[in-house]
Amino acid sequence: MIADSPTLTVCLRGLHDQREHHLARALAEATGAQPDDITVQTAAGLLGTVHRLLFQRIQALTIAGLPNDRIADTIAADAAQAFDLLEPALSDYAAT
């Protein structure tokens, strides 16, 4: 239903944007930086993008009719690969 509705697609993008904004605020608070700090914004953007891509992947696999267990296995592997790509850049960021 979401994929077929431009209105719902825009709303979903807004939710992704809100999540990224809140993540940036949480990262800023955790690191003592300002929410508009480029490092905070970049970290939140990278993490938010991976989440959005994984969400889109789940949506596509669901529309394709794959069973839930196969979707879960695929997304787990995709998430591991995506976050492995981010690890060199973010592994020490906001570490306490």
Side-chain angles (χ1 to χ4, degrees):
M1 180 170 56
I2 293 172
D4 293 335
S5 170
T7 301
L8 291 177
T9 300
V10 169
C11 289
L12 179 60
R13 180 60 197 206
L15 291 173
H16 287 302
D17 290 346
Q18 285 179 24
R19 184 198 59 250
E20 187 176 313
H21 171 77
H22 289 290
L23 177 58
R25 286 180 41 200
L27 289 171
E29 185 177 313
T31 62
Q34 295 298 313
D36 63 350
D37 179 89
I38 190 65
T39 303
V40 168
Q41 294 292 316
T42 300
L46 290 170
L47 293 166
T49 295
V50 169
H51 183 273
R52 182 178 45 80
L53 292 170
L54 292 171
F55 187 93
Q56 289 171 344
R57 183 94 161 113
I58 291 168
Q59 187 178 25
L61 294 172
T62 301
I63 290 169
L66 272 67
N68 289 340
D69 59 338
R70 183 149 172 226
I71 293 171
D73 291 343
T74 300
I75 294 304
D78 288 350
Q81 184 176 354
F83 287 113
D84 283 350
L85 287 171
L86 295 184
E87 186 176 8
L90 298 177
S91 63
D92 293 329
Y93 181 69
T96 55

